[in-house]
Amino acid sequence: MSTPRSPLMDALYGIDVSIDVYKNLQDLDHDLNKEVQEIAYEHYWARPGLSIRDKSLITVVSLISLGKQKQTKPHMLGFLNTGGTKEELLAVLMFLQKQIDKNPIEKAVITLHALLSERNEDNFIIDEIIKKISEGYEDEQRDYSRDLHIANVASAAAIGKQEKTQESIKLFLASPLCNIDDIRNTLIHQIAYCGFPVAVNGFGALKSVMKE
């Protein structure tokens, strides 16, 4: 007997994509699908403390930082389906080009371009961003939005840069838009996509910052 599809998948991806993702997982291995449904979705996605939009953002940033292009696309869709906009995603991608390697950013922009084309949405902004990234454009923005604070912590933690993670946590805590529970919940949600070592290291960085 197959494990029921989590309603959270439908909320994130829409029924059609949700069914496809579920079927792909089931075809890979039914025990794997059971773990994904019961742990990833019904536990980590269902945890209180962050909005589903925030969790979508954390997931997208984590997957991009780890170079997981194939898995990034459905979660970009999830971000758009749960209240995020393409402009907000682009702002995060422009920010991330200063934090991680250029190659996964370029792939992420291409992925977003394809997703928006499938949704029949205007892509002219993406074309401009692709050009800017290829030319080495750097945004000098210093006032981070809540999204950028979340992206800063999630990307640093995902790629294992401990000093950078501590720095991002300090900036996060200094913002009136964020609090320590937001950081804790960000790191806990990453377990589903980055594993326990990332969360353990992230909490180690948080503990060091709090000691200071």
Side-chain angles (χ1 to χ4, degrees):
M1 182 177 179
S2 61
T3 304
R5 188 175 77 251
S6 170
L8 282 164
M9 291 183 71
D10 296 346
L12 280 166
Y13 315 128
I15 297 293
D16 291 341
V17 175
S18 175
I19 291 173
D20 285 343
V21 171
Y22 178 89
K23 183 178 183 301
N24 288 338
L25 289 168
Q26 188 70 13
D27 288 344
L28 285 172
D29 187 270
H30 65 275
D31 284 339
L32 167 66
N33 188 34
K34 182 176 186 293
E35 295 295 304
V36 170
Q37 299 302 318
E38 295 180 355
I39 298 176
Y41 289 103
E42 290 303 303
H43 180 69
Y44 288 109
W45 279 95
R47 284 186 81 252
L50 290 173
S51 69
I52 193 170
R53 178 194 175 280
D54 282 348
K55 291 176 184 176
S56 292
L57 177 62
I58 294 163
T59 304
V60 169
V61 170
S62 298
L63 292 172
I64 291 172
S65 299
L66 294 173
K68 306 297 184 184
Q69 184 180 11
K70 184 176 181 180
Q71 289 84 10
T72 299
K73 186 177 179 181
H75 287 288
M76 283 183 168
L77 175 63
F79 180 77
L80 296 174
N81 284 345
T82 55
T85 67
K86 63 183 178 183
E87 290 79 12
E88 289 167 339
L89 263 182
L90 287 167
V92 168
L93 291 176
M94 291 300 295
F95 172 77
L96 285 179
Q97 71 165 332
K98 298 180 292 183
Q99 316 301 317
I100 61 177
D101 292 339
K102 182 178 177 180
N103 186 50
I105 299 299
E106 291 178 335
K107 289 181 178 179
V109 173
I110 291 169
T111 298
L112 180 57
H113 197 294
L115 175 61
L116 293 179
S117 294
E118 292 171 8
R119 290 162 60 96
N120 296 317
E121 293 191 29
D122 197 345
N123 268 326
F124 76 92
I125 298 177
I126 309 254
D127 294 331
E128 287 296 314
I129 296 298
I130 291 174
K131 180 180 178 182
K132 288 179 179 179
I133 289 178
S134 66
E135 294 173 350
Y137 173 82
E138 291 190 7
D139 186 357
E140 295 299 326
Q141 181 179 2
R142 289 291 179 265
D143 295 328
Y144 292 3
S145 67
R146 176 179 166 81
D147 283 353
L148 297 191
H149 278 297
I150 289 174
N152 200 21
V153 171
S155 63
I159 60 180
K161 290 188 175 181
Q162 203 69 351
E163 289 186 4
K164 176 62 179 174
T165 303
Q166 291 182 28
E167 177 188 332
S168 66
I169 287 172
K170 289 177 183 177
L171 288 172
F172 203 122
L173 291 174
S175 169
L177 303 172
C178 314
N179 59 58
I180 192 169
D181 283 338
D182 290 333
I183 297 174
R184 293 178 66 258
N185 288 319
T186 293
L187 296 170
I188 289 172
H189 184 73
Q190 283 189 288
I191 293 171
Y193 297 92
C194 305
F196 281 101
V198 164
V200 170
N201 290 340
F203 273 94
L206 176 59
K207 186 175 181 179
S208 295
V209 170
M210 297 309 295
K211 280 184 177 179
E212 294 179 13

